[in-house]
Amino acid sequence: MSEPILSVRDLSVTFPSEYGTVRAVQNLSYEVYKGEALAIVGESGSGKSVSSLAVMGLLPRTATITGEIEMLGQKVFTLNDRQLSALRGNSVSMVFQDPLSALTPVYRVGQQIAEVVRIHHPEVSVKQAEKRAVELLDAVGIPEPARRSNQYPHEYSGGMRQRAMIAMAIANEPELIIADEPTTALDVTIQAQVMDLLKSAQEMIGAATVLITHDMGVVAGFADRVLVMKDSRMVETGGVDDIFYRPQEEYTRNLLAAVPRVDIADAEGSKSVAGTAMRKIADAVDADAPVIPREERPAVLEVEDLAKVYPITKGAIVRRKVGEQRAVDGISFDIREGECLALVGESGCGKTTTLMEIMQLRTPQEGVIRIGGTETGALTRKDRAALRSDITMVFQDPMASLDPRMPIADIIKEPMRVQGYSKERMDERVDWLLKMVGLLPEHAARFPTEFSGGQRQRVGVARALACDPKLIVLDEPTSALDVTVQAGVLAMLADLRARLGVSFLFVSHDLSVVRHISDRIAVMQKGKIVELGDTEDVFSDPQHEYSRELLAAVPIPDPEIARQRRRNIIDRSRFERADNTEVGQEKTS
Amino acid sequence: MIRFVSLRVLTYAILAFVATSFAYLLAASLMHPEEVLYPPIATEPLPPATAQMYLDVRNVNPDTPLFERYATWLGGLVRGDLGVTTGTNKSMTPVIDELGTRIPISLRLVVLGTVIGTSLGILLGMIAAVRRDSLGDRASTLLAFFVLSLPTPVIILIVQQINQGVMDTTGWGLPAINPINPLLEPGSWESFTYQVKALIMPTIVLALTAAASYSRYMKVTTLDVLGSDYLRTARAKGLTRGRAMNRHGLRMALIPMGQYFAFAVGGAFSGSLFVELMFNWQGIGRFAISAIQMADVNGTAGVVLYSAILTLLSATFADFLQGALDPRIR
C-alpha cells in the first residue's frame, strides 16, 4: 500500500473549562491514503470537528494536544505557523459548515478565491488570479461567473456560497480536502448537488477527502471508508460497505437505525426507530377502535385560497411599490381530527409564512382560515384568546424557545395560567404531561439548560399539549437535533398522536422525516402547494416534477443505491482549460 | 449615491438648525444681558433712550418679544451674520469674527487629538484582544481604566507636572501655556516651531482620554472577530495568524468602530474645554465658557452652531467610513 497522505496517531485534545478539563478527542488514530474518501461520522460533541481542526493546526491556543499527526511526510506539531500556512490552502484545504459566516462579508467572492491562489503563488498577477477565480466559479457551476465573481457573499444563495467555498478549496489542487459538515446548513436538493460536486471535484484532482458529518445518508454516496466516533473516541472503522451492511458495534447499528429512510415503504422493512415505534402503537389503536373514514371526521383546520403578499418598496421618503413577493400564493388544505398533515418544502417556499398566518388567528390578507368550523376573521378578542388553547405550536429551536430563567414546571404552566386553570389542576397536569412526553415529574423544578436538546424539545411538546389542544403545529421540530435524538422525538410524537387523538400540522424540509409520521403530505414550492396526497401515494408515485426532485435528492443510507444515483457535475473541461491558460501564461511571462 | 448624500446633508442641515435655534431660544430667555449693563462703579444712570439703543443694537432688548428677537437673529443667520457679542463684553465684536479667529486654534487640537487618540486606541485594543491575558493586555487594560477614572483636569495637571519635572532636571521642556508666542514674529520659523511644541501637551491629554475609551471598544469588537468563521477560513487558506488578522480581521473589527468615531469628536470637544482653560488657549472652548459666564446670548448660540456642525461633520465622516469598509450597507 502506498504511503498515507495523512496519518493521525494516538491524538488526544483537551480544553480547560469552568467545569474541569474537557476531553474533546481521546486516542484517535486513522490514516488517509491518496485519492481516498474517509468519512468521520458522529453526533454533535463527539469530537469529529476538533480532530479535523487539529489536522489543520487551527485549534485555539487553549487546547492541549498530544499524539502525532503526519501530513505529507511532515510532522504537523513540529511546524510553526508560517510553515503550516504554506501547507494550508495549498496541500490541504478545508470546506466549512456554514458558508455564510465562512466567507469574509466585505470582500468580493472573486477576490477571496483569487487570494488563495495568490497566497501560494505570488508570481501570479492579480489580474490572472482573478481570471482564474472566474474560471473556477464557472467550473463549480456558478451561472454568469464573470458577473458573479464581482459580487459579495451576501448576494449569493447558501448553495452558491458553498460552491464558491469548494472552488476555493480546489483552487490549488490540494492533496487533501477536509469538508466539515459541508451540507448541514443547506436544503436537501442543494445538499445533493453540493455533495455531487464535492465528489466529482475530489475525483478530478485526485485529492484525498475527509468528510465530517452526522448524516449517514450523505456518507453512503461519498465515502470509501468510514470512521464512527462517539464521546470523543473512535467506535469502529471500516470500508463503507462493511459499516453499512455488517456493522460490528451496537452504537453503529443504532446510528444506522435512527436514519429515516425514504426508499423503504412499509414499516416492516424499515430499521428506523421511529418506524418501529409507530408500528407498535398503530397496532394497539387499530385493535381498539374501528377506523372512521377520513371524510366523516370533523375538520380541525381548513385553509382556503390563503395568500400573503409582501410589497417590495423603494425610496426613503416617498415609498413606492416596485413589485410584490407572493410568499404564500393561494393554498388550500384541511386537517381532519387525529390526522397528521406534513407540509414539505425548501427554505423560502412559504411554509413559515403559512404557519404565521394560521397562528395569528386573524383575517388573512386573502382567503379564509377556519378552525373547528369557525372563521378566524369573525373572532372577538375573547374568542381568540380562548382559541389559543386549541391550536398550539412547537418551535424549531428548543434552546431559543424556552425561557432560560424559568423552571420547566412554570414554562408548562404558562399557557394553562393564561386560560385560568386552578393551581391544583395545573400541578396535576404538569406531572401527567411530563410523563406523557417521557420525562420524570421530578424534573419539574429544573431549568431548561439542565436538559439536552431532545429533552428540551420534549418540554416544548409538553407545553404545547398543556391545554388539551385539538391541533399542534410543529415547525421543523427535529431539524436542530441529532439523528438518534430525532428518532426518539419522532417516536414520542407518533405515540402521542395515537394516544390522544390530537391532529398535527408537521412542517419540515426533510421528506425522510415525515414519511413515518404523516398521513398526508403537501409539497410546497414558491408559495404554492404543488402536490397534496396520501403519504404512500406521494412517495410511491409522485405526480409533480418537483416532488420527484425532492425525493431523488434525499440521501439514502445505502452505499449500493447511493453509488447508482451519483451524477457527474463538475465541468472538467473548464477546470482544465483554467489550468492550461495559467500554465501557458506562466510560460510566456 | 448622490441622492443618498444630498438627503443626508439636508437632514443634517435641519438638525444643526434645530439645535442652534433651541440653544438661541434657551439662551435668550434665560440670560439677562441688560442686568449686567451698568457696572457697579457707574455714577450716573444712563438715559433710557441710550440704554434702549444699546440693547436694540445687540438684539437683546427684553422689551422686544422673544420670537421677534429670534426672527431678527434668524434673518442674520441666513446672511451669515451671527450677531455681535453681548453681555459684559461690550466690544460688539461680530460673533462670526470671534469664531473665525478661534476655530483654527481649537480645531487643530480637536482633530489631532481625535485622530491620534482613535488610531492609538485601535492599535492598543487590537493588540490587547489578539494577545489576550498577556502582560501587554493587562497593562493596557489597567492604564485605560486609570485614565478613564481620572477627571480631565487631573490628567492635565499630571502631564504639566511631568513636563515641569523634565524642565527642572534637563533645562529643556515644552512651553507650559499659550498656543502662540506673541513675542515671535508671526509666520517666522521660530513662531511655527513654538506653535508645534505648544500643541504637544494638549494633544497628549486629548489623545490619552480618547485612546482609553476607544481601546476598550476595539478590544470587544476584535474579540468577536477572532472567534469568527471567516477568520478561520482565511487561516485555512494559508494566511498566517498575523496576515489573516490584518487582511480579514481588522477591516471587520473596524466596521462597528466607525460609529464611535462621531462620539469621539464630541468627546474631544468637551475635553478641549478644560484643556484650553488650563493651557490658556484662546480657543472655542474658552470662548464658550466665558460667553455663558458673561450672558453673551449671540456668542453662546454661535458656539452651539459650531459644535453642531462639527458633530454632524464627524457623523457624516463616520457614515462614509462605514460605507467604505462595509459593502453590505452601500
Side-chain angles (χ1 to χ4, degrees), chain A residues 306-577:
Chain A
L306 177 72
K308 174 84 184 176
V309 183
Y310 292 104
I312 301 167
T313 55
K314 232 181 167 179
I317 294 173
V318 188
R319 288 196 168 271
R320 64 208 145 87
K321 206 171 123 179
V322 293
E324 53 179 34
Q325 175 74 39
R326 301 192 72 86
V328 177
D329 196 1
I331 63 169
S332 307
F333 61 86
D334 63 340
I335 299 176
R336 305 280 168 150
E337 211 175 80
E339 190 181 47
C340 175
L341 175 78
L343 194 60
V344 182
E346 296 181 23
S347 33
C349 74
K351 294 175 307 215
T352 307
T353 314
T354 310
L355 289 194
M356 289 308 137
E357 285 296 289
I358 295 169
M359 289 308 289
Q360 69 172 354
L361 301 181
R362 282 168 203 282
T363 319
Q365 208 176 32
E366 280 172 41
V368 180
I369 298 172
R370 273 191 292 273
I371 291 168
T374 338
E375 236 180 81
T376 51
L379 294 170
T380 63
R381 267 176 91 93
K382 221 171 140 192
D383 290 342
R384 198 173 289 129
L387 204 59
R388 294 259 177 236
S389 67
D390 282 351
I391 168 163
T392 55
M393 193 160 177
V394 176
F395 299 92
Q396 177 170 12
D397 188 347
M399 322 286 162
S401 58
L402 301 176
D403 187 333
R405 283 176 187 78
M406 263 180 157
I408 60 166
D410 286 357
I411 290 176
I412 296 172
K413 276 180 196 169
E414 210 169 20
M416 294 192 270
R417 196 169 286 143
V418 173
Q419 299 295 340
Y421 281 40
S422 73
K423 202 175 172 320
E424 293 74 36
R425 191 158 165 226
M426 282 199 285
D427 290 338
E428 215 173 277
R429 273 191 75 78
V430 167
D431 284 2
W432 180 79
L433 284 165
L434 285 174
K435 270 186 245 162
M436 224 35 214
V437 296
L439 297 171
L440 298 171
E442 296 91 274
H443 288 160
R446 295 195 192 167
F447 289 88
T449 43
E450 296 171 59
F451 292 96
S452 69
Q455 286 175 319
R456 278 183 234 190
Q457 200 57 292
R458 285 167 191 264
V459 174
V461 174
R463 173 172 61 183
L465 281 172
C467 302
D468 279 324
K470 295 198 177 68
L471 174 73
I472 300 183
V473 174
L474 301 135
D475 186 5
E476 307 248 12
T478 60
S479 65
L481 306 175
D482 275 327
V483 266
T484 50
V485 179
Q486 163 175 312
V489 172
L490 286 176
M492 176 202 69
L493 288 172
D495 176 53
L496 284 176
R497 188 161 75 91
R499 294 212 329 234
L500 304 176
V502 59
S503 310
F504 285 160
L505 173 57
F506 194 111
V507 172
S508 177
H509 68 279
D510 191 346
L511 271 173
S512 57
V513 166
V514 301
R515 159 146 231 181
H516 298 291
I517 196 162
S518 63
D519 302 309
R520 297 180 356 118
I521 289 183
V523 180
M524 214 171 160
Q525 185 195 22
K526 291 178 186 155
K528 287 193 168 77
I529 288 181
V530 294
E531 184 163 357
L532 176 64
D534 288 343
T535 303
E536 286 318 311
D537 296 345
V538 173
F539 272 89
S540 56
D541 183 23
Q543 296 300 311
H544 195 270
E545 196 195 340
Y546 181 67
S547 315
R548 281 197 286 275
E549 210 177 290
L550 266 184
L551 270 174
V554 175
I556 291 173
D558 187 320
E560 284 288 315
I561 302 174
R563 274 195 285 265
Q564 287 160 15
R565 297 207 311 178
R566 213 156 68 209
R567 292 148 292 182
N568 199 15
I569 197 156
I570 199 163
D571 198 330
R572 179 180 285 272
S573 65
R574 283 176 185 160
F575 186 83
E576 279 168 359
R577 192 190 65 212

Side-chain angles (χ1 to χ4, degrees), chain A residues 22-56:
Chain A
V22 176
R23 293 172 192 282
V25 179
Q26 292 182 66
N27 308 99
L28 181 71
S29 300
Y30 64 86
E31 277 163 357
V32 184
Y33 295 91
K34 192 168 169 53
E36 182 190 44
L38 171 77
I40 301 181
V41 189
E43 295 181 26
S44 39
S46 62
K48 50 193 196 309
S49 287
V50 172
S51 65
S52 70
L53 286 175
V55 171
M56 295 290 282

Side-chain angles (χ1 to χ4, degrees), chain B residues 1-17:
Chain B
M1 190 65 197
I2 293 167
R3 213 180 108 83
F4 174 78
V5 170
S6 50
L7 262 177
R8 261 293 154 84
V9 170
L10 188 71
T11 23
Y12 281 165
I14 293 168
L15 270 175
F17 172 75

Side-chain angles (χ1 to χ4, degrees), chain B residues 120-134 136-137 140 218-219 222 226:
Chain B
L120 197 68
I122 285 169
L123 195 72
L124 284 178
M126 204 170 87
I127 292 170
V130 173
R131 308 236 167 102
R132 200 182 177 183
D133 290 333
S134 70
D137 173 28
S140 74
M218 186 64 187
K219 186 180 169 186
T222 310
L226 282 176

Side-chain angles (χ1 to χ4, degrees), chain A residues 56 58 61 81 85 88-89 96 101-107 112 115-116 119-120 152 154 165 168 317, chain B residues 3 7 130 229-230 232-233 235-241 247-248 251-252 255 325-328 330:
Chain A
M56 295 290 282
L58 288 178
R61 285 176 183 189
D81 190 34
S85 295
R88 286 187 213 123
F96 293 100
S101 56
L103 290 164
T104 311
V106 294
Y107 291 110
Q112 299 196 43
E115 189 184 18
V116 75
I119 291 168
H120 299 284
Y152 291 94
H154 69 272
M165 282 298 288
M168 214 183 273
I317 294 173
Chain B
R3 213 180 108 83
L7 262 177
V130 173
D229 285 355
Y230 51 80
R232 195 178 55 181
T233 309
R235 300 256 287 130
K237 276 164 144 183
L239 290 171
T240 55
R241 203 187 298 272
R247 282 206 206 166
H248 292 262
R251 183 160 162 190
M252 289 300 291
I255 290 171
L325 287 171
D326 191 351
R328 285 168 297 181
R330 257 178 240 157

